Amino acid sequence: MVRRTCIFSISLLLLAQTVAISQDTVTVPLHVRAGFDLSGPVMKLVNKDLISYGVAASADINSSLAVTAGFRYSSFSSSEVIYDFSSRGLSITAGTDYNFIKANVSGGKYYAGIGIRYGLSFYSEEAPMIRYTNEWGAGETYLALERHTGHYLEITPGVRTSLFPGVTIGWNLYMRLLISAGAGKDLKPVWMPGYGPGTSGMSTGAEYYISFSIPYRKIKVFIKPKVRDSGEEETEGGQEVPGTVTSGSGIRF
Amino acid sequence: MKRLPSIPALAAILAMVMATGSCSDQPCYEETDPQMNTILLVSGTGETAKADSLRVYTYRESDTLKFVSIKGASSFSVPLDPGSDESRFLITLNGVTDTALIWYSRRPHLVSPECGYTIVSEITGLMTTHNIIDTLIIENKSVNLDGQKNLHLFY
């Protein structure tokens, strides 16, 4: 009896697998998400000079693409022997994320992809104390508070998964490329809010987001079925027989 | 894909390592002292001149600052006073002394987070006596860390 049940179960599984292979469409929910960056508060424990709080929102356009936007408030304060520096400001990013995972695998729950964003940083900087020394002697001066607008590009490979329905977690590395700090060549900020060290053309790091997601629509995605590679299925010229595409997906609304 | 939830821990460690690295104090290896660079030229021909002896110094209330004292000089570099909008230099060429007064505006310049700020200047004017110096002209107003020639001294 037990043996029969087992065989039945295995047969069901095999049948289910066969159905999945032959199925050419999957229904994928599209989500809107809003979340916040946990790495900012964590980093405060490591780097006491920096306070950084970020929120981000995204909306799926289709099973692969999502538009995304983020806001970040940063405050940086550094006291060195030769200068004191502080900057604070709000940065805004906007761009897209591309999910490399096929729709039939991700099912709207998983993301492993790359994003590209344009960032704007509205910030102020000041150096209340600057010490200098040369042959004339030593002295002190200061840099009064100035407001600037900086621009940068952000490339963010990352992963995200559904922790439980309605909540996703994910992290991404970021590589930010400075377009302009907006402060001229002399007063590049020691730290540009939203970007990082303003004297460097590139900054890298990682962010860790927890997000709340709401499905707002379902779409049917056409999945071209995988066909096992076989010499018999190829023509003499090596071309694939029609209907034997090994990858690719289309969207059917 | 079910392993994804465990990956954030790796990311957090990575982020911490990166942040710790960025916090560590780094030494300053860059040039931080802008110099006003002057080349000596033969008056009339404009060819490069080589002075037998050259001294550049200034008098202050309490002391004398000596910047340059060399033989066979065809150029010299001196710093401007970062605490004032004018610097006075006494230039002794082949034993004959002239006084040069340089006016400039100043502004801070961030060299790097490690090296901090320096003061760069923009020359706004100059005046010189003419005991041996024929002409002192501004070639490049910006006295910064680029090392460009700023003044042409004809004698």
Side-chain angles (χ1 to χ4, degrees):
Chain A
M1 185 64 187
V2 173
R3 191 179 172 188
R4 280 183 185 176
T5 307
C6 190
I7 290 168
F8 178 69
S9 301
I10 290 168
S11 301
L12 272 180
L13 280 172
L14 288 171
L15 183 64
Q17 194 177 3
T18 308
V19 169
I21 289 170
S22 62
Q23 190 180 26
D24 64 351
T25 61
V26 290
T27 302
V28 177
L30 301 182
H31 291 84
V32 289
R33 287 171 217 89
F36 56 91
D37 177 24
L38 290 176
S39 66
V42 171
M43 295 299 282
K44 179 78 173 72
L45 302 173
V46 180
N47 184 356
K48 295 194 187 313
D49 294 340
L50 177 66
I51 297 169
S52 182
Y53 302 113
V55 294
S58 65
D60 294 332
I61 300 172
N62 57 39
S63 62
S64 301
L65 277 176
V67 290
T68 179
F71 296 88
R72 179 172 293 278
Y73 170 80
S74 302
S75 174
F76 179 83
S77 179
S78 171
S79 186
E80 306 287 337
V81 175
I82 49 175
Y83 67 90
D84 290 343
F85 174 87
S86 68
S87 64
R88 68 177 60 185
L90 183 72
S91 60
I92 302 167
T93 57
T96 59
D97 286 338
Y98 182 82
N99 192 353
F100 289 122
I101 303 176
K102 299 287 180 211
N104 57 329
V105 178
S106 72
K109 292 180 178 177
Y110 306 116
Y111 167 86
I114 193 164
I116 183 163
R117 284 144 211 190
Y118 171 72
L120 264 176
S121 175
F122 303 98
Y123 68 97
S124 61
E125 65 165 328
E126 66 176 330
M129 187 277 289
I130 295 171
R131 285 205 179 100
Y132 56 79
T133 307
N134 75 354
E135 290 174 71
W136 289 85
E140 272 191 25
T141 186
Y142 67 96
L143 172 66
L145 184 78
E146 293 190 4
R147 295 180 201 286
H148 305 290
T149 303
H151 310 252
Y152 57 93
L153 278 179
E154 189 176 79
I155 298 166
T156 57
V159 294
R160 186 178 62 233
T161 186
S162 177
L163 193 61
F164 45 83
V167 177
T168 62
I169 56 169
W171 60 271
N172 52 267
L173 301 174
Y174 62 76
M175 183 177 74
R176 293 175 184 146
L177 305 169
L178 185 64
I179 299 170
S180 167
K185 64 175 183 175
D186 290 323
L187 300 179
K188 289 177 181 173
V190 174
W191 188 272
M192 188 171 105
Y195 171 76
T199 51
S200 172
M202 187 177 83
S203 74
T204 55
E207 295 169 330
Y208 180 38
Y209 277 93
I210 182 161
S211 305
F212 302 97
S213 65
I214 304 168
Y216 71 95
R217 185 180 173 188
K218 287 184 177 176
I219 58 167
K220 286 186 176 176
V221 180
F222 175 57
I223 305 295
K224 290 186 178 175
K226 276 188 179 179
V227 174
R228 291 173 187 82
D229 287 337
S230 165
E232 292 171 5
E233 289 174 353
E234 289 184 357
T235 59
E236 286 182 2
Q239 292 179 336
E240 291 173 328
V241 174
T244 61
V245 179
T246 54
S247 65
S249 66
I251 299 161
R252 193 185 289 168
F253 291 97
Chain B
M1 290 309 299
K2 288 182 180 177
R3 290 181 182 175
L4 281 178
S6 65
I7 295 174
L10 181 66
I13 292 166
L14 183 67
M16 280 188 168
V17 168
M18 291 171 89
T20 308
S22 66
C23 290
S24 57
D25 289 334
Q26 302 289 324
C28 170
Y29 295 113
E30 292 160 86
E31 177 60 56
T32 60
D33 196 6
Q35 299 277 323
M36 183 181 70
N37 302 306
T38 305
I39 56 170
L40 307 181
L41 300 165
V42 177
S43 184
T45 64
E47 292 174 356
T48 303
K50 198 166 191 176
D52 294 334
S53 67
L54 171 69
R55 287 179 66 223
V56 183
Y57 53 100
T58 192
Y59 290 127
R60 296 197 295 189
E61 285 182 10
S62 56
D63 59 357
T64 301
L65 275 179
K66 293 175 184 172
F67 298 107
V68 175
S69 181
I70 47 176
K71 294 185 186 302
S74 57
S75 66
F76 66 91
S77 300
V78 290
L80 295 172
D81 183 357
S84 171
D85 286 336
E86 65 176 53
S87 292
R88 182 185 300 270
F89 296 102
L90 282 85
I91 302 168
T92 303
L93 268 166
N94 300 336
V96 182
T97 302
D98 271 311
T99 300
L101 196 57
I102 315 290
W103 289 283
Y104 47 89
S105 59
R106 298 164 288 150
R107 62 182 185 278
H109 168 84
L110 180 68
V111 180
S112 67
E114 296 79 23
C115 299
Y117 291 84
T118 189
I119 306 297
V120 295
S121 309
E122 197 87 354
I123 299 171
T124 54
L126 58 79
M127 195 179 74
T128 180
T129 56
H130 297 283
N131 296 321
I132 187 167
I133 294 174
D134 181 33
T135 319
L136 186 61
I137 61 169
I138 302 168
E139 177 67 17
N140 179 0
K141 292 188 291 184
S142 300
V143 180
N144 50 35
L145 298 169
D146 293 347
Q148 294 177 327
K149 295 282 180 279
N150 300 110
L151 303 181
H152 285 182
L153 189 157
F154 294 88
Y155 75 98

